[in-house]
Amino acid sequence: MNLDYIVREPENITSTTPVLFMLHGYGSNEQDLFSFRETLPNDWLIISFRAPRDTQFEGYSWFDIDFNNAENFIDIDQAKESFNSVLESILKIINHYGLTESKVHLCGFSQGGMLCYALALQHPELFNNIACLSTYPEEKLLDGIVKDKKKLERLRFFISHGTDDAVIPLEWGRKAADLLYDLSCYFTFREYMSGHGVNQKNYMDLMEFFSKNA
């Protein structure tokens, strides 16, 4: 499935132009994280995907969520379908722009972040910097992850979570630290006095992460 997306192209695009792919959260759209572009490096290509499923109030989702069922919180078949669509779209876009030597980054919020964990840990050879915001690593999406530390060492994770997140509990978010520690991945895990969102301090730390690792 070809995903819709919006793009900010830098003035010059070469085989080494860095690219950042963005995956929004449930009920949102491709404009949401795209607002970050103002403070991201000017020479980056920025792609923000729209999730394929409609939700209420003109939003979109990567998969259905059942807030009343912690055991089956996500629709795993839909999630895997979205995973494949995102991966396919990323590879097509990299090919379209001829980004044969570029650094490829990911930024995902909430359910978009769940897909970022799965993409990075199943295909570590493709990615570099990964920001996972207000999310958690969903075990049902991580059945095929790479355990080879040599392949994982190029990855850099920035993880943030609000202490008062009422949508995805902080305890769930903290699972990422245990997982990435066990895999010997490089990561920063930060908690902020906020709910299910990105506050000013979180935003500034995120921008610093991307500019420092540019």
Side-chain angles (χ1 to χ4, degrees), residues 38-102:
E38 303 296 336
T39 42
L40 285 162
N42 289 329
D43 59 340
W44 285 19
L45 176 67
I46 298 173
I47 308 277
S48 186
F49 289 120
R50 175 194 290 179
R53 317 185 81 81
D54 292 337
T55 62
Q56 286 178 303
F57 313 116
E58 298 181 3
Y60 301 90
S61 75
W62 300 101
F63 43 86
D64 292 341
I65 287 179
D66 185 348
F67 289 102
N68 301 316
N69 188 343
E71 287 305 303
N72 291 303
F73 184 59
I74 76 168
D75 185 313
I76 194 65
D77 291 336
Q78 292 177 0
K80 288 189 171 176
E81 201 178 300
S82 283
F83 172 93
N84 290 329
S85 296
V86 173
L87 182 60
E88 194 180 314
S89 297
I90 285 174
L91 293 172
K92 274 185 184 168
I93 290 166
I94 287 173
N95 188 44
H96 170 74
Y97 284 102
L99 306 175
T100 49
E101 302 163 86
S102 83

Side-chain angles (χ1 to χ4, degrees), residues 131-185:
C132 298
L133 317 172
S134 304
T135 186
Y136 73 100
E138 170 53 66
E139 284 174 21
K140 292 172 183 169
L141 279 175
L142 300 176
D143 45 5
I145 65 171
V146 171
K147 301 281 177 72
D148 183 340
K149 292 179 171 55
K150 212 65 199 130
K151 290 179 178 168
L152 294 168
E153 67 182 12
R154 61 186 277 164
L155 299 177
R156 298 285 182 278
F157 286 89
F158 175 89
I159 299 149
S160 66
H161 215 100
T163 51
D164 303 312
D165 192 325
V167 179
I168 294 178
L170 178 57
E171 293 72 50
W172 292 20
R174 286 176 175 160
K175 290 178 187 173
D178 296 332
L179 171 70
L180 297 177
Y181 181 80
D182 288 344
L183 292 170
S184 299
C185 288

Side-chain angles (χ1 to χ4, degrees), residues 10-43:
E11 279 185 32
N12 300 308
I13 298 178
T14 70
S15 61
T16 59
T17 295
V19 57
L20 171 63
F21 292 99
M22 298 175 145
L23 283 74
H24 65 76
Y26 182 90
S28 187
N29 61 43
E30 68 277 17
Q31 295 288 347
D32 187 14
L33 297 175
F34 198 60
S35 61
F36 293 2
R37 70 190 182 282
E38 303 296 336
T39 42
L40 285 162
N42 289 329
D43 59 340

